[in-house]
Amino acid sequence: MAEPRPRVWLARPLFEDITMRLDEHFEVVRTSVEDRYRPADIAAHLRDVDGALVTLSEKVGAEEIAGAARLRAVANVAVGYDNLDLPALTAAGVLVTNTPDVLTETTADFGFALLMSTARRITESERWLREGRWDRWSFDRMLGADLHGSTLGILGMGRIGQGIARRAAGFDMRVLYHNRRPLPAETEGACRARYVGFDELLAQADHLVLVLPYTPQTHHVVDAAALAKMKPTATLVNVARGGIVDEPALADALAHGRLAAAGLDVYEGEPAVRPELLALRNVVLTPHIASASPATRRAMVALAVDNLVAALGCGPDAGRPPAPVNAGKMKR
Ligand code: 8YV
């Protein structure tokens, strides 16, 4: 008798023409839920599958995999994987994969767009205009911060940070960065960026962009003390994860003129956004869309499918998924 095909759970309906490739190898359990799953729902879906393809809305940790004896692979459709408890999954022998590279340029484009909108008060002035408040032209209305000739600080100089640095060169910005470790001189040269300590980055930046991974070590690294080291005229942009910033401290700094403006694409409790942030005029708020172009979202799903197929020992790259995250050994 033929071996039963591995079973995989597809947590969201994602580009059916791409995810149908999973059907060539697996029995695919599709769910159509568009809301958040509760931990017990995720646990129930993982109980009888060999693999799962999930997005960052699905949190998978020790509780969710407790009864998942067959689970061997979880493919995340995102480069960030803070939704997955890596130590718990690795200890259980579950291979985790993500979707790096394919979203770098789109996310860097968006980071730059959010920086420009925030510094030059684009959404704030549009709201004001739509409210019918524009009665006469005025010389000092909606003055914003220049990008050209200013100092851009980049916290987290991975692929996306480097993409933002390359864009900054076109605006004649001076680029400083802070990272776990300095980049090789050649990469620094290509990005025209200089490594500085965290405090110096905060003090020097006219605009600070956050592009670092969210881990227990980076939780609230931008807190009240860090914000106090920034220029009161500075702009802060976050396209990484909400938990990197202490949001009440940020809202307080923005409300009291200790920071000029912020552009946020990510939030600690997303999709909920704190009322203190919603109430401020000097913050641009977008709903976690930095990688949201059709080509990039499709490439992310395609890579996640390739990852899952290979992680479960199928397809041309069997056993060698293109983007593995943990060193965990597969159970079979
Ligand atoms: C989106 C991201 O969250 O890849 C990431 O880590 O934050 C973004 O690309 C992703 O597209 C949603 O799954």
Side-chain angles (χ1 to χ4, degrees), residues 208-268:
L208 179 66
V209 181
L210 310 180
V211 260
L212 66 171
Y214 182 48
T215 64
Q217 290 71 41
T218 64
H219 175 73
H220 287 191
V221 285
V222 180
D223 58 5
L227 291 165
K229 291 175 185 149
M230 293 181 69
K231 300 179 186 180
T233 49
T235 311
L236 177 77
V237 167
N238 189 2
V239 286
R241 287 293 181 268
I244 290 166
V245 176
D246 177 341
E247 291 173 342
L250 173 65
D252 197 61
L254 289 165
H256 295 100
R258 297 194 305 276
L259 192 70
L264 307 176
D265 186 46
V266 286
Y267 310 87
E268 190 159 15

Side-chain angles (χ1 to χ4, degrees), residues 55-56 77-80 103 241 288 291 297 300:
T55 70
L56 59 79
V77 192
V79 66
L103 48 66
R241 287 293 181 268
H288 203 151
S291 68
R297 285 281 163 90
M300 290 166 69

Side-chain angles (χ1 to χ4, degrees), residues 125-295:
S125 56
E126 186 187 355
R127 267 199 310 277
W128 182 86
L129 179 150
R130 285 178 187 270
E131 283 163 12
R133 296 168 63 184
W134 192 20
D135 52 355
R136 68 195 153 79
W137 188 83
S138 154
F139 207 70
D140 59 358
R141 176 161 296 135
M142 297 285 171
L143 305 183
D146 280 326
L147 266 68
H148 73 271
S150 69
T151 296
L152 174 65
I154 301 179
L155 185 59
M157 197 62 156
R159 290 164 281 228
I160 299 168
Q162 292 170 32
I164 291 174
R166 286 194 304 273
R167 283 157 178 77
F171 281 75
D172 279 333
M173 297 173 94
R174 180 170 78 115
V175 181
L176 304 177
Y177 74 96
H178 182 71
N179 206 31
R180 274 169 298 188
R181 56 193 97 79
L183 299 176
E186 196 186 320
T187 317
E188 275 193 353
C191 296
R192 295 211 245 157
R194 186 163 69 82
Y195 180 86
V196 291
F198 182 44
D199 284 358
E200 190 179 343
L201 188 81
L202 296 169
Q204 297 264 339
D206 295 307
H207 308 284
L208 179 66
V209 181
L210 310 180
V211 260
L212 66 171
Y214 182 48
T215 64
Q217 290 71 41
T218 64
H219 175 73
H220 287 191
V221 285
V222 180
D223 58 5
L227 291 165
K229 291 175 185 149
M230 293 181 69
K231 300 179 186 180
T233 49
T235 311
L236 177 77
V237 167
N238 189 2
V239 286
R241 287 293 181 268
I244 290 166
V245 176
D246 177 341
E247 291 173 342
L250 173 65
D252 197 61
L254 289 165
H256 295 100
R258 297 194 305 276
L259 192 70
L264 307 176
D265 186 46
V266 286
Y267 310 87
E268 190 159 15
E270 63 183 61
V273 179
R274 285 177 187 277
E276 313 84 293
L277 290 171
L278 290 168
L280 290 167
R281 60 151 192 85
N282 51 346
V283 52
V284 177
L285 305 167
T286 52
H288 203 151
I289 55 168
S291 68
S293 77

